[in-house]
Amino acid sequence: METVSIAAQPRTELGKKAAKALRKQGLVPCNLYGGKETINFSAPYTSLQPIVFTPAFKIAEIELNGKKIKAITKELQFDPVKDTIKHVDFQELVDDVKVKVEVPLKLNGVPAEVAMGAKLEQTMRKLKIFALPKHLPEVIVVEVGDLTVGQNKRIKDIQIEGITLLHSASIPVARLTSSRASKEAAAAAAATTGKK
């Protein structure tokens, strides 16, 4: 699991005026909750970019008051005009407390019929899961090499120990559909077989 180090400093003054002053200094107001207490802090804008502007799932390691705290991003606020980070809420990872996160979904394998023009579609890019910190995956991989035209891989086909998927079991995550080229290839193959 990739970890992003964030050098943080305590935030003593709260409110809009204080937050605006921090942003002028290149800092972003942040909150950390989920542990024994809610902690208000600020962090350099540049240190937050690798964990915010990425499709990958990463864990933050917040260095604050001489401690290192593992956390995940829970809520992000952006400037509606500049699209810059305005505020970040983090949730502390506690060993025996399950968390809800979104993890990227990756397809592995190529169905044989793709070579004949069939189209492999990925219908979901991320999956919402519920798991203990020790079970959090960087990515969820689904094997699709065995698909034939008309078949789907659904949420119910993904079984990972220690992880609960927070989606309806019938939702497809990938499907193999026929194209005009694949139908023509199949017809040509059938015609060839029929002549033998």
Side-chain angles (χ1 to χ4, degrees), residues 19-39:
K20 195 173 181 180
L22 283 171
R23 292 186 193 109
K24 280 187 176 179
Q25 299 170 52
L27 300 169
V28 178
C30 303
N31 293 334
L32 174 70
Y33 64 89
K36 292 177 183 176
E37 58 182 340
T38 298
I39 301 169

Side-chain angles (χ1 to χ4, degrees), residues 12-86:
T12 50
E13 292 184 41
L14 305 177
K16 287 184 179 179
K17 192 176 178 183
K20 195 173 181 180
L22 283 171
R23 292 186 193 109
K24 280 187 176 179
Q25 299 170 52
L27 300 169
V28 178
C30 303
N31 293 334
L32 174 70
Y33 64 89
K36 292 177 183 176
E37 58 182 340
T38 298
I39 301 169
N40 302 303
F41 67 93
S42 63
Y45 190 94
T46 51
S47 70
L48 294 170
Q49 286 176 303
I51 201 164
V52 173
F53 297 112
T54 176
F57 175 61
K58 299 178 183 181
I59 287 176
E61 187 175 71
I62 301 164
E63 297 176 28
L64 185 66
N65 296 331
K67 293 181 182 175
K68 290 185 178 181
I69 305 163
K70 292 257 172 72
I72 52 171
T73 55
K74 286 303 283 186
E75 197 170 324
L76 303 166
Q77 287 178 26
F78 294 93
D79 184 292
V81 179
K82 300 175 188 173
D83 203 31
T84 51
I85 311 163
K86 277 188 75 176

Side-chain angles (χ1 to χ4, degrees), residues 123-192:
T123 54
M124 294 185 79
R125 298 286 165 191
K126 289 189 172 186
L127 296 179
K128 290 179 183 174
I129 67 168
F130 188 51
L132 289 171
K134 66 179 180 181
H135 291 140
L136 292 177
E138 200 166 331
V139 65
I140 290 177
V141 179
V142 176
E143 296 292 333
V144 293
D146 58 343
L147 283 178
T148 57
V149 167
Q151 285 188 328
N152 297 308
K153 285 283 181 176
R154 301 181 186 274
I155 292 291
K156 66 182 178 183
D157 300 318
I158 305 169
Q159 303 291 330
I160 305 170
E161 192 177 344
I163 290 175
T164 302
L165 293 167
L166 302 176
H167 299 274
S168 171
S170 61
I171 292 176
V173 296
R175 63 168 68 100
L176 191 65
T177 56
S178 59
S179 64
R180 190 170 159 187
S182 67
K183 285 176 184 172
E184 287 172 359
T192 305

